Amino acid sequence: MKRLFCFLALVVAVSLVGCGKPDFSDAEKKTIASLALSRLPALKPDTTNRFADVPAAAALGSTLFFDLGMSRDGTVSCSTCHKIDRQFQDDLPQAVGVGHTNRRTMPLAGVARDPWFFWDGRRDSLWAQALTPLENPLEQAGNRAAYAHYIKARFGERYERIFGPLPDFSDMPLNASPLGTDAEKAAWNAMSGAQRDAINGVFANIGKAIAAFERSIEPAPTRFDRFALDLATGAEPKGDAVFSKEEILGLKLFIGKANCVTCHDGPRFTDNGFHNTGVPPVAVLPLDRGRIDAVRQVEADPFNCLGAFRDGDAGACGELRFMVKDAPQLIRAYKTPSLRGAATRPPYMHAGQFSSLDEVVAHYAKAAPSVEGVSEVHPLELSDRERAALVAFLKTLAE
Amino acid sequence: MQSVRQSVVCTRGTGLASLWRYLLAGLGLAALLVGILAVVYLTAPRSAQPAGPDVARTKKSDNGLYMASFVPERGVVRQGELESWLLTLKTKTGASVERAAIAISGGMPQHNHGLPTSPQVTDYLGEGRYRVEGLKFTMSGWWQLRFAISSGAGSDTVLFNVVL
Ligand SMILES: [Cu+2]
């Protein structure tokens, strides 16, 4: 008898509180399903890098990624900023290599799926991207001739097993680059065309090896993905796949009223595009106009898809061929970052302008105008409860 | 409130008669609530579907100089991927339009932004068919593609809506 009462009491309690089963429209269910990691297609081959899926190249790339020798003074590697135990980013507002840069380090999960690299898309392939910090005086600060010599001395045999015979560098300068110091530029200009091609070829292969390694860095399933899978299959969510009321409200706002999913779409929560969202500049940093200035840089990059160091045919170069080159919408436009894991890697935005997700949500709700160009964001009425719910939902993408 | 009181009673195991009354009242209230909600739900007006934009794939140009059709070359539209589409141009009398100069623009009217790529006519395939490469629909929603066409038949414009 006592047990029956308790059972009935429970029934009443449940019927009064509501059983907490999420209630989504068909359209919402479709959108939620489109965000699940299970929808992520297989990684496409990169025909511009014929070593992209060669295991030995990935292994060499991994060695180079963590090698402090890959810098001017032996103190900085890719992994200095792309920290393996921190989602391959560094928790700093702006990255610090040999010097202090003006941009936030980007995490690397799923990076091989990007059409454009860096916050402004100034490179168009993962291997061309990997070369850029190597010569940036604020990052690894080296020069391509020095890297070629270093590879030969330190990893010559491994390199040759993958890429074929190394050129003879004996009569080439130890330090030379078209992007280096005045002395390095002079040395580069004094070299013959064949010598420059030889150095550039080895330098490009360094990028291709590092890119082959980075292709293995992929996003992992989260609580949201377990929830989405159960919602799609109609299974009863169990354990951490159960969403709280607040998380469900946050999800509904994310794909509804708050319009987040407009840009943060698909299984990676990004449209891979560039948008001006009115993020304020950081006063002490140099002028930063985002995508509009990156167009010229990627066009001028000798390692871009239309350049001489691409493998395969130019059919892979559609993004570069058909990129928007000059439009007002490119001013202070920055790449839409993936939101997977974002909750556990503040600060946010391209120069770490916001220190918490609360600040990010507040920024989008307020929709302050951009200092230059026009912000695509429109003001939004969000209650404190709704703001907290959005943040609660974002956390399910990092658990 | 109700559930808290019930569980208190439960743990004590006393006051059985009044417990029954609470239970019956609670269940009755719950049933009434469900009934009201059901009526409200069933009689609510269907959310008015806003009339979507005209998504015809074949249409007359704005001044009637051309019949234009615009279809994805592979038959399906895939979000987030570079695609090529075919633009077919005929004159009023049904003749194929050759050697047309075609400029393409567009964007998402509800999002206040232009196209994420700059699509171009890259090939003439004969019979008035032009290949448009470099289209990319990065978001779901309403897209507009505007073609400015110039040929021996004159200059005209045509706008196609694509809804993803
Ligand atoms: Cu849009």
Side-chain angles (χ1 to χ4, degrees), chain B residues 137-150:
Chain B
F137 300 105
T138 46
M139 299 176 178
S140 53
W142 173 19
W143 293 83
Q144 288 184 325
L145 284 152
R146 233 169 267 110
F147 296 87
I149 304 154
S150 181

Side-chain angles (χ1 to χ4, degrees), chain A residues 291-316:
Chain A
R291 180 65 176 160
I292 191 91
D293 288 343
V295 167
R296 246 53 69 191
Q297 295 178 50
V298 70
E299 276 188 314
D301 177 25
F303 301 102
N304 75 20
C305 193
L306 295 170
F309 301 95
R310 177 203 70 228
D311 299 316
D313 65 64

Side-chain angles (χ1 to χ4, degrees), chain A residues 1-2 4-9 11-13 15-17 44 115-116 262-263 265 271-273 275 317-319 321-325 329 376 378, chain B residues 2-3 6-7 10-11 13 16 19-20 23 26-27 30 79 81-82 110-120 122 133-134 136 138-140:
Chain A
M1 205 53 175
K2 196 169 153 187
L4 179 67
F5 286 138
C6 286
F7 173 74
L8 285 173
V11 168
V12 171
S15 65
L16 288 181
V17 173
K44 280 190 209 145
W116 298 105
T262 301
C263 295
D265 65 0
D271 64 352
N272 291 315
H275 302 278
C317 306
E319 292 284 356
R321 271 179 77 200
F322 301 108
M323 77 172 161
V324 178
K325 291 181 183 174
Q329 71 196 58
E376 291 176 31
H378 307 293
Chain B
Q2 190 104 21
S3 60
Q6 300 298 2
S7 54
C10 254
T11 50
L16 292 186
L19 174 62
W20 269 117
L23 273 177
L27 284 171
Q79 194 175 328
E81 286 188 31
L82 281 176
Q110 292 166 321
H111 293 168
N112 234 343
H113 63 73
L115 297 175
T117 56
S118 51
Q120 283 153 34
T122 55
E133 278 190 270
K136 191 173 173 187
T138 46
M139 299 176 178
S140 53

